[in-house]
Amino acid sequence: MIFTVLIPLLLACFIPFISKFKHKIHTGVFVLFIPLLVFLYFIQFVGSGFEPVRHTYNWIPSLGVNFDFHLDGLSLLFALLISGIGTLVVLYSIYYLDRSEPLGHFYVYLMMFMSAMLGIVLSDNVFVLYTFWELTSISSFLLIGYWHFNERSRYGALKSMMITIFGGLSMFGGFSLLSVITGTTSIQSMIANADVILASPYMPLAMGFLLLGAFTKSAQFPFHIWLPDAMEAPTPVSAYLHSATMVKAGLYLVARFSPVFGDYEWFFIIVSMAGIVTLCWASYMAVHQTDLKAILAFSTISQLGMIMAMLGFGTKAAIFAAVFHILNHATFKGSLFMVAGTVDHETGTRDIRKLGGLLTFMPITATLALFGTFSMAGIPLPFLNGFYSKELFFESTLGLQEGMGATASFLVDIIPYLAVLGSIFTFVYSLYFLFGTFGGKTQLDKLSKKPHEAPFGMLVSPGILVLGVILIGLFPSAVNGTFIAHAAEAVYGGEVVKDVYFWHGWNAPAFQMSLVVVGLGAVLTATRTRWNGIYQVLPGRLSVNKVYDAIMARIDTYSRNITTFYMTGSLRTYMAIILSTIVVITVGFMLATGGFTIDFSNLAPVTVIELAVALVITVAAVGTIFANKNVAAVLIVGVVGYGVALLFVIYRAPDLALTQLVVETVSVALFLLCFYHLPKLKKRNESMNKKVVNAIISVGFGAMMTMIAISAHSSDWFGTISDYFIETSYSLGGGDNVVNVILVDMRGLDTLFEITVLGIAALAIYTLIKSKTRKGGK
Amino acid sequence: MEFIISILAGVLFATAIYNLLQKQFLRLVIGSVLLSHGAHLFLLTMGELKRGSPPILTEGISDYTDPLPQALILTSIVISFGITSLLLVLAYRTAEENNTDNMEQLRGNENE
């Protein structure tokens, strides 16, 4: 089974070579057989006696990350949708995309997407699922930005990327939590361990993360905003990714995990409310759009909301209806997108205000659109599949009464009304789409081309899909018995055999709801222009898009502000930040852990000479701050150096004293040499504030170092190792001067690199001075 | 006495830091010199002060001062000397090239 998933990806490697022949034959012709092959592979599983199939291929066995593929009813439904509609979309794209386009790119992205999507629905391993999940985000990004010279395309691609990757990452968090809780990475084992997950305190967090991923991918409110902007993609992409497959990945995820979370009350509340709100809001917004594809985008969002709501209900009837509607929506929405693309292709515009009266020019397209829109609207006719699932939806909203908490039972009461409300608007935009495009008056002067019927090849794919709409409508029970029931059983976990009938009698409440929808919908459609003004009030200035744009802009400004706040380019600021951080952390830590100790017992006696030298050094050191003349400053620094040398003498360190004297002398000489060329030391004309801050930091640092020195001296934890050096200096090193033996014998490596340091410094100085002539100096 | 040397090291650190926080490159060099003096004294007090003869083996003496900190300081003196001279030449070249030794003016353009 792994090859089915990878075939599109592997064969995609050859597409760039094939696409070189595009001047003779359209690349899509070669690509067409790939999804067809996959489709034929999966169709063999369809049948009433279907049993789940499982295959495992090792990837990273030590981490439990393997290609575990599990084909059950739900996966099969999705795999058939992906490969079947994939075939039709490739066929459609052959006629839709011109040979002058970069077709190689297009089909590589498309096949990459197909592999990823098949991977999502077949993976049993959560981390493999996540990998494929992100691959769909990436390939969707590439496909939306296919016409990358178009600014709107780039904006749409980026937006969808940001939102879906945001969701994908949070889903990854959810997966990680789940696999930690259960100790397995397999979804089937997680379902088997559902009671362990439900008992875990991290369960709400895991569920929230997971649902965030599902909601962003499936464009649920308020994450739906990326989908309308993704309509900048070529129409075959919109038909494939943004109606039939990718946006259903979130639904797949929720369906897949509903056996785990289904018994949790908040799962019902969150998922069904998100779905219902999305259904109502998006169907309401769809009526307001002027672009054909935007209408379809909002329609997709609302239909996804409807399916999401049913998955949230979690009852047997609702799950069955949800799975059924996944299939139905894929068929009619795919055909409608292709119709919109055909109209765009033959008239040169998708603006519904410029279109109208195309029925006479494009009768076949119009007929296809008629079936698609009527099915979408749920008009009660026995050959439209949309009606069945819509009625099942109404039925499922009514059967939710069992054992709910207070919040949930309140929702149960209002859900049917909201469902009807959303469906009324669905009816309105469906008819608006149909009559706005094909009915009404012709406006030939506004069209850039004279419209005519599309070529036959362009009509085949939507034709097949509409045929599917009608066939499912005519024989719903046959379709359900073979594989919808298996899919629903995989989600529900029990027997779900359900026959669907068209006629339930006048008294069936669902049918009455359908009648209300049709009646009120017809009235609203007829009076659409009268109440159109309401959109100035309700979405009005409120828009989720603006929130998104504002967030993105704020992130930019705030991060820039933060960076410019501390990245001033001034050395002093950095020093101040670094030093005060050191002081705060060190002193804080010392005080918190009681690290500061003082012990007067083991001290050397104080003598007058030492005190005098220390005093001189102190005065000289402080003097450097106040010295305003170069020479004075150098001499004062020299005093400090010689003072330190004197201390070395007092403290019995002859080698140190010697070195210090020499180094100090050379340093002073160097200072003088350089100071001769340097600008004069200036009076510090800094503000008082800065001086005070500087003083606080430096005194703090000095005090901290004193604290450390005293504490270190006062807490004598272990003895010195110097006895060893003194004892073995002569016997091992052959020298009397212990310091020198340490330097060249015991710790000779230090000395080697100290020599290297001097050498490098000398070379650097030489280079610095030499580089002057090359650059021409000043 | 150790405490007094500790305080002296602290004073050296404080004045060094104050110099390091100034604008002029020269003061930065002076600051780094003072900083290394402070560090050397700091190291010296880590060993014990004045507990015997200089660490040169002599007949009849068994009590020496700790030779290890002295070796460390010796290494450190040489290294800091290398750094100081490099910094000095750098200051000299910087002032020559840019006609200023003010660190604030050496920041370069905004938005860089």
Side-chain angles (χ1 to χ4, degrees), chain B residues 7-88:
Chain B
I7 292 167
L8 180 59
V11 169
L12 282 173
F13 276 119
T15 49
I17 298 299
Y18 195 90
N19 274 308
L20 282 177
L21 288 171
Q22 301 297 308
K23 283 182 195 158
Q24 257 183 318
F25 206 147
L26 269 180
R27 293 210 180 270
L28 264 64
V29 183
I30 293 173
S32 77
V33 169
L34 291 178
L35 198 67
S36 58
H37 285 322
H40 299 156
L41 286 183
F42 188 83
L43 271 176
L44 196 67
T45 48
M46 291 297 100
E48 301 193 314
L49 293 176
K50 272 177 99 176
R51 298 290 202 285
S53 315
I56 294 168
L57 298 178
T58 324
E59 289 283 336
I61 295 175
S62 60
D63 205 14
Y64 298 101
T65 53
D66 197 339
L68 192 59
Q70 297 193 13
L72 296 180
I73 294 169
L74 197 58
T75 311
S76 168
I77 289 175
V78 176
I79 290 175
S80 59
F81 168 67
I83 302 295
T84 307
S85 30
L86 183 63
L87 270 180
L88 269 174

Side-chain angles (χ1 to χ4, degrees), chain A residues 222-476:
Chain A
F223 306 111
H224 65 280
I225 46 170
W226 65 269
L227 193 60
D229 282 305
M231 291 301 128
E232 297 300 323
T235 302
V237 172
S238 311
Y240 189 36
L241 275 68
H242 306 129
S243 74
T245 53
M246 187 178 98
V247 287
K248 294 211 170 92
L251 299 176
Y252 171 80
L253 190 74
V254 173
R256 188 46 96 198
F257 279 91
S258 66
V260 176
F261 300 114
D263 293 335
Y264 184 49
E265 193 190 345
W266 280 98
F267 180 78
F268 163 74
I269 296 173
I270 295 173
V271 177
S272 56
M273 275 332 279
I276 288 281
V277 168
T278 310
L279 166 67
C280 293
W281 178 251
S283 59
Y284 170 72
M285 285 302 290
V287 188
H288 184 49
Q289 307 302 316
T290 54
D291 181 359
L292 290 185
K293 280 176 83 177
I295 300 175
L296 292 178
F298 276 105
S299 145
T300 302
I301 297 168
S302 83
Q303 302 277 317
L304 293 171
M306 178 175 143
I307 301 171
M308 191 65 89
M310 288 191 277
L311 289 173
F313 296 164
T315 57
K316 194 185 274 190
I319 299 267
F320 177 78
V323 176
F324 192 28
H325 198 67
I326 287 175
L327 173 70
N328 295 344
H329 176 250
T331 52
F332 66 69
K333 190 53 64 64
S335 70
L336 283 179
F337 265 110
M338 291 176 189
V339 163
T342 309
V343 169
D344 184 16
H345 202 267
E346 303 308 330
T347 61
T349 181
R350 295 197 313 250
D351 193 331
I352 202 160
R353 289 166 300 188
K354 295 182 186 168
L355 296 166
L358 291 181
L359 181 63
T360 47
F361 299 98
M362 307 170 77
I364 303 174
T365 316
T367 315
L368 296 175
L370 179 88
F371 282 105
T373 46
F374 276 24
S375 181
M376 181 159 75
I379 289 177
L381 290 170
F383 49 86
L384 296 172
N385 58 6
F387 167 67
Y388 291 95
S389 38
K390 177 132 307 173
E391 203 171 51
L392 287 170
F393 171 55
F394 287 149
E395 230 174 79
S396 64
T397 59
L398 295 170
L400 287 172
Q401 309 294 351
E402 331 138 21
M404 297 287 182
T407 325
S409 59
F410 167 71
L411 294 178
V412 164
D413 293 337
I414 59 165
I415 278 173
Y417 296 100
L418 290 173
V420 170
L421 180 73
S423 302
I424 291 172
F425 280 107
T426 308
F427 186 90
V428 175
Y429 72 67
S430 300
L431 295 195
Y432 167 57
F433 178 86
L434 181 67
F435 293 119
T437 315
F438 298 102
K441 269 185 266 172
T442 331
Q443 312 178 62
L444 286 182
D445 50 321
K446 288 191 184 167
L447 301 178
S448 54
K449 298 183 195 172
K450 182 161 166 45
H452 55 82
E453 188 54 83
F456 175 70
M458 222 170 191
L459 297 171
V460 171
S461 298
I464 292 174
L465 285 172
V466 166
L467 202 64
V469 168
I470 296 170
L471 283 179
I472 298 171
L474 286 178
F475 309 107

Side-chain angles (χ1 to χ4, degrees), chain A residues 36 99 101 133 155 165 248 358 382 385 409 436 443 530 535 555 597 600 633 653-654 698 754:
Chain A
L36 196 61
R99 274 186 230 164
E101 303 270 7
W133 185 278
Y155 173 77
I165 299 263
K248 294 211 170 92
L358 291 181
N385 58 6
S409 59
Q443 312 178 62
R530 303 228 185 113
Y535 287 100
I555 289 176
T597 48
F600 291 96
S698 40
E754 155 198 343

Side-chain angles (χ1 to χ4, degrees), chain A residues 105-294:
Chain A
H105 298 191
F106 181 78
Y107 288 110
V108 169
Y109 301 158
L110 202 69
M111 290 302 113
M112 188 162 112
F113 170 78
M114 201 164 137
S115 272
M117 204 59 216
L118 285 170
I120 288 183
V121 299
L122 291 172
S123 294
D124 186 41
N125 189 301
V126 284
F127 295 112
V128 175
L129 195 158
Y130 170 73
T131 311
F132 285 119
W133 185 278
E134 293 299 37
L135 193 58
T136 61
S137 297
I138 293 167
S139 48
S140 164
F141 168 78
L142 290 169
L143 284 166
I144 297 169
Y146 179 60
W147 287 316
H148 51 80
F149 40 80
N150 189 339
E151 211 246 315
R152 293 288 312 165
S153 294
R154 295 200 302 271
Y155 173 77
L158 187 65
K159 193 173 185 177
S160 76
M161 179 92 155
M162 296 301 280
I163 294 178
T164 55
I165 299 263
F166 161 73
L169 283 173
S170 86
M171 186 188 80
F172 183 66
F175 281 165
S176 307
L177 276 175
L178 283 179
S179 71
V180 168
I181 293 171
T182 59
T184 171
T185 51
S186 155
I187 297 173
Q188 293 302 321
S189 317
M190 285 175 185
I191 293 172
N193 288 321
D195 47 338
V196 179
I197 296 175
L198 286 179
S200 162
Y202 298 109
M203 187 272 292
L205 201 60
M207 189 190 80
F209 281 153
L210 211 67
L211 288 182
L212 204 55
F215 289 170
T216 48
K217 199 75 161 182
S218 278
Q220 299 296 294
F221 188 86
F223 306 111
H224 65 280
I225 46 170
W226 65 269
L227 193 60
D229 282 305
M231 291 301 128
E232 297 300 323
T235 302
V237 172
S238 311
Y240 189 36
L241 275 68
H242 306 129
S243 74
T245 53
M246 187 178 98
V247 287
K248 294 211 170 92
L251 299 176
Y252 171 80
L253 190 74
V254 173
R256 188 46 96 198
F257 279 91
S258 66
V260 176
F261 300 114
D263 293 335
Y264 184 49
E265 193 190 345
W266 280 98
F267 180 78
F268 163 74
I269 296 173
I270 295 173
V271 177
S272 56
M273 275 332 279
I276 288 281
V277 168
T278 310
L279 166 67
C280 293
W281 178 251
S283 59
Y284 170 72
M285 285 302 290
V287 188
H288 184 49
Q289 307 302 316
T290 54
D291 181 359
L292 290 185
K293 280 176 83 177

Side-chain angles (χ1 to χ4, degrees), chain A residues 497-546:
Chain A
V497 176
K498 199 158 157 77
D499 286 322
V500 184
Y501 302 107
F502 173 68
W503 188 246
H504 295 279
W506 291 105
N507 292 324
F511 185 71
Q512 289 168 354
M513 285 162 87
S514 286
L515 285 184
V516 170
V517 168
V518 173
L520 276 179
V523 172
L524 281 180
T525 311
T527 57
R528 193 180 58 81
T529 42
R530 303 228 185 113
W531 53 271
N532 222 348
I534 194 175
Y535 287 100
Q536 306 298 328
V537 186
L538 186 52
R541 285 155 181 273
L542 299 168
S543 140
V544 189
N545 272 316
K546 279 184 191 149

Side-chain angles (χ1 to χ4, degrees), chain A residues 480-775:
Chain A
N480 293 330
T482 45
F483 68 111
I484 295 292
H486 295 306
E489 274 161 24
V491 180
Y492 185 69
E495 190 83 354
V496 188
V497 176
K498 199 158 157 77
D499 286 322
V500 184
Y501 302 107
F502 173 68
W503 188 246
H504 295 279
W506 291 105
N507 292 324
F511 185 71
Q512 289 168 354
M513 285 162 87
S514 286
L515 285 184
V516 170
V517 168
V518 173
L520 276 179
V523 172
L524 281 180
T525 311
T527 57
R528 193 180 58 81
T529 42
R530 303 228 185 113
W531 53 271
N532 222 348
I534 194 175
Y535 287 100
Q536 306 298 328
V537 186
L538 186 52
R541 285 155 181 273
L542 299 168
S543 140
V544 189
N545 272 316
K546 279 184 191 149
V547 175
Y548 168 83
D549 287 337
I551 289 175
M552 298 311 275
R554 292 276 157 77
I555 289 176
D556 267 8
T557 8
Y558 286 158
S559 50
R560 197 186 308 120
N561 287 352
I562 291 172
T563 314
T564 43
F565 170 71
Y566 77 94
M567 282 286 168
T568 52
S570 152
L571 193 65
R572 180 190 168 267
T573 317
Y574 301 151
M575 291 288 276
I577 292 173
I578 293 169
L579 293 167
S580 40
T581 310
I582 293 175
V583 172
V584 167
I585 290 178
T586 315
V587 173
F589 192 74
M590 278 178 86
L591 292 180
T593 58
F596 182 72
T597 48
I598 186 157
D599 175 16
F600 291 96
S601 62
N602 186 25
L603 293 177
V606 180
T607 61
V608 182
I609 297 182
E610 290 166 68
L611 266 184
V613 175
L615 202 65
V616 168
I617 295 178
T618 306
V619 169
V622 175
T624 56
I625 295 168
F626 298 101
N628 288 328
K629 289 210 169 83
N630 288 359
V631 179
V634 174
L635 291 181
I636 294 174
V637 174
V639 167
V640 176
Y642 292 123
V644 170
L646 212 56
L647 277 181
F648 288 153
V649 172
I650 295 168
Y651 293 127
R652 315 279 158 81
D655 300 288
L656 288 191
L658 193 66
T659 317
Q660 180 65 39
L661 279 174
V662 175
V663 162
E664 200 53 45
T665 313
V666 178
S667 294
V668 167
L670 253 174
F671 265 102
L672 287 175
L673 215 70
C674 280
F675 279 25
Y676 179 72
H677 297 278
L678 282 174
K680 294 268 178 286
L681 274 178
K682 290 182 195 95
K683 273 262 182 202
R684 290 159 306 284
N685 44 0
E686 281 182 82
S687 63
M688 203 57 208
N689 274 348
K690 268 191 180 174
K691 276 187 193 170
V692 170
V693 171
N694 288 355
I696 290 173
I697 293 173
S698 40
V699 170
F701 195 85
M704 177 193 83
M705 291 312 280
T706 308
M707 252 171 93
I708 293 175
I710 292 176
S711 306
H713 187 82
S714 302
S715 44
D716 194 11
W717 283 333
F718 38 78
T720 169
I721 57 163
S722 297
D723 294 340
Y724 171 79
F725 293 121
I726 292 165
E727 278 161 24
T728 57
S729 171
Y730 190 77
S731 55
L732 290 181
D736 285 332
N737 187 332
V738 185
V739 173
N740 287 0
V741 169
I742 291 176
L743 280 176
V744 298
D745 205 329
M746 316 243 185
R747 300 182 55 91
L749 215 56
D750 290 0
T751 314
L752 176 66
F753 289 110
E754 155 198 343
I755 293 168
T756 316
V757 167
L758 267 194
I760 291 173
L763 280 175
I765 291 169
Y766 177 77
T767 318
L768 268 177
I769 293 177
K770 272 290 173 187
S771 69
K772 173 177 155 188
T773 45
R774 231 178 300 151
K775 280 189 76 178

Side-chain angles (χ1 to χ4, degrees), chain A residues 57-67 125 127-128 185:
Chain A
Y57 304 88
N58 279 357
W59 182 18
I60 317 173
S62 55
L63 294 179
V65 179
N66 295 313
F67 290 106
N125 189 301
F127 295 112
V128 175
T185 51

